[in-house]
Amino acid sequence: MPRSHAPSRRHAERHRTQRVGWLRAAVLGANDGIVSVAGVVVGVAASGASAQVVLATGVAAVVAGAMSMAAGEYVSVQSQADTEAADLAIERQELASEPRLEQEELAHIYVQRGLSPALARQVADELTAHDALAAHARDELGITESLRARPLQAALSSAAAFAVGAALPIGAALLAPLERVTLATTVVTLAGLLLSGGAAAWLGGAPVLRGALRVGFWGALAMAASHAIGGLFHVAV
């Protein structure tokens, strides 16, 4: 007797592309919060400013930076969302006016991806009958639900991550003696950047060490530049 096979349960798959929308904004925000605020703190401290001025400047940089990151991410991603909406509107109109040509276009796409003409036409027919706009959005325009532009999500992720990242140099400036602010901020910031870069690489499926060193290098370079510029204006405030 032929062996009967019970239907296998569908295995759950966890893909990292679903994190792209918020992960990119969060990583950018966190790294920018650490580097930019640390640069401000180190630069102002190197100029000979008092502890109160260093702290006030750092807090002001956190507020301004978080708002700037949120606004920048929202405007940028909203532009992408507007473009997607405009393309979908065009596609919707073409499907209404020339459905047969659109169906042939879909079949041609599948032939280019390796299907035989007969199978490509069958796939195009069935997907068109199911949801023509979704099929064209995915396979012609490259718009998928997991990668759709989400402006508000990007803005909130970026601003929150900026504030969290900026807490490291602010905390170092607050707790360290004035003569040690530069050293403390540098050490804490580099540690935070290494952790941030490594965590971002791990979440994205990239090599952790490479991601950590890449972020740490550019952060160290930014702080060195800020310290050098601050030293040019060595005045007591």
Side-chain angles (χ1 to χ4, degrees):
M1 293 180 62
R3 182 183 300 177
S4 61
H5 295 279
S8 60
R9 290 186 301 175
R10 182 181 179 185
H11 66 284
E13 294 183 345
R14 300 175 62 184
H15 296 290
R16 293 180 171 87
T17 53
Q18 295 179 351
R19 305 171 180 169
V20 169
W22 63 265
L23 180 60
R24 182 196 63 83
V27 170
L28 180 62
N31 291 340
D32 197 20
I34 297 172
V35 174
S36 62
V37 175
V40 169
V41 169
V42 169
V44 174
S47 72
S50 65
Q52 291 81 5
V53 171
V54 172
L55 183 59
T57 305
V59 171
V62 174
V63 176
M67 296 301 295
S68 176
M69 291 296 295
E73 281 292 332
Y74 185 85
V75 171
S76 175
V77 180
Q78 184 61 56
S79 297
Q80 179 185 343
D82 292 341
T83 302
E84 291 177 353
D87 283 344
L88 288 174
I90 294 173
E91 200 64 36
R92 191 178 291 108
Q93 181 179 2
E94 291 177 346
L95 284 169
S97 60
E98 298 179 315
R100 198 62 198 168
L101 288 178
E102 288 298 302
Q103 195 165 337
E104 291 177 1
E105 182 181 27
L106 199 61
H108 180 66
I109 291 173
Y110 298 142
V111 169
Q112 289 183 317
R113 293 182 179 179
L115 297 185
S116 66
L119 181 57
R121 180 170 294 278
Q122 179 184 353
V123 172
D125 291 345
E126 294 189 11
L127 289 179
T128 298
H130 176 68
D131 191 336
L133 182 61
H136 281 271
R138 179 183 62 251
D139 297 322
E140 182 182 350
L141 303 177
I143 300 175
T144 63
E145 186 59 32
S146 61
L147 299 180
R148 287 285 295 271
R150 295 177 173 85
L152 188 59
Q153 180 192 65
L156 294 177
S157 298
S158 184
F162 184 97
V164 171
L168 289 175
I170 290 295
L174 182 63
L175 298 176
L178 182 59
E179 64 275 10
R180 299 289 184 183
V181 165
T182 299
L183 177 61
T185 302
T186 300
V187 172
V188 170
T189 298
L190 286 177
L193 287 173
L194 291 173
L195 288 174
S196 172
W202 178 74
L203 286 171
V208 173
L209 182 59
R210 184 189 303 170
L213 292 178
R214 180 172 54 214
V215 174
F217 169 78
W218 289 108
L221 189 63
M223 284 188 295
S226 297
H227 184 271
I229 293 173
L232 296 177
F233 302 93
H234 192 75
V235 292
V237 180

